[in-house]
Each structure stands twice: as C-alpha cells, then as structure tokens.
Amino acid sequence: METLKDITTIEDIKQMVDSFYGNVRKDELIGPIFNDKLQDRWEPHLQKMYNFWQTILFDVRAYSGTPFPTHKQLPVDKTHFDRWIAIFNSTIDSQFAGPITEEAKMRATNMAFMFSHKIEYFRNQGL
C-alpha cells in the first residue's frame, strides 16, 4: 500500500483543488450548478481556490474576500453541501494523509455546515 504524504506545498493545494473540482464538474447533483454558475470562468475560480486554501492551511495571506455572498443565491440546500463534503473528503483522502489534510477536511466541513445553515436562514427570512 502506498503511503500518502500530507499537504505541504502550493503544488499540493493545486492538485487537491484541481482534482476536487474535476470530480465536482462530473457529479450529477452539484456539477450542473457549478458548471452553470462558472461557465467559462473556471480558471479564475480555481486560482481563487488555490489562494483561499493557501491562506487557510498555510497562513499565507493570498486570499482576501468574503466567500459567502457569492453562494447565497445558489439553488442549493443541505443535500448539495453533503455531496460537496463527500466529494471533497473522498478526493482528498485518495491523495493525501496527515495533520494538514485533516485540517483541510475539518475546515471544509465547517464551511459547508455554516454556508448551508446561513442559506437556509436567509431563505426563511425572505432575504
């Protein structure tokens, strides 16, 4: 069995992000939502995600912004976020292992939970 290395470089982050979104794009539940929203703007989105994860995992100030507002109006619910997390975890687990990998999974799970609840809250408030 191959021993997997932890996420330690920007190249690892690029591999993680590219493979994750490659899987997302093919997914029958969430793929159409991402593909419709991003259309031909995948490259800038991926670059933004490299910067985001570099900031989150390596404490490098590569990303600034507020990710929630762009997600607020998407036609998604808890089912979509559950799928997003399942794809994220299976993608990352197939490539990496270690403390930073676990941190990435925990951060992604927390983010999905928060986004899901905030979207539900805003919809219930009619906002």
Side-chain angles (χ1 to χ4, degrees):
M1 186 170 127
E2 179 185 352
T3 302
L4 301 176
K5 70 181 217 74
D6 205 357
I7 300 167
T8 58
T9 68
I10 185 62
E11 293 309 315
D12 294 339
I13 286 176
K14 288 179 179 180
Q15 177 183 333
M16 174 189 79
V17 167
D18 290 347
S19 57
F20 168 65
Y21 282 105
N23 290 334
V24 163
R25 290 173 88 166
K26 295 181 285 188
D27 185 76
E28 59 192 42
L29 178 65
I30 64 174
I33 296 166
F34 275 86
N35 291 319
D36 182 57
K37 179 72 175 173
L38 292 171
Q39 297 179 11
D40 62 349
R41 298 180 312 278
W42 272 99
E43 202 51 48
H45 179 71
L46 294 174
Q47 185 61 53
K48 190 180 290 187
M49 293 300 93
Y50 304 152
N51 294 343
F52 175 81
W53 284 107
Q54 192 176 6
T55 299
I56 295 294
L57 298 178
F58 299 157
D59 201 26
V60 172
R61 298 295 164 215
Y63 175 85
S64 64
T66 51
F68 180 72
T70 58
H71 295 82
K72 186 171 134 179
Q73 299 303 324
L74 291 177
V76 295
D77 59 27
K78 183 180 181 316
T79 305
H80 297 90
F81 284 104
D82 289 346
R83 178 72 61 90
W84 187 89
I85 282 300
I87 294 169
F88 187 86
N89 287 343
S90 65
T91 301
I92 200 172
D93 283 342
S94 71
Q95 300 173 62
F96 301 101
I100 298 172
T101 301
E102 293 305 312
E103 175 79 9
K105 293 183 338 186
M106 187 264 305
R107 296 287 191 118
T109 300
N110 289 347
M111 201 174 352
F113 180 80
M114 179 193 65
F115 277 25
S116 178
H117 282 278
K118 282 179 80 170
I119 287 171
E120 186 177 324
Y121 171 79
F122 283 112
R123 285 189 185 142
N124 290 339
Q125 299 300 314
L127 304 174

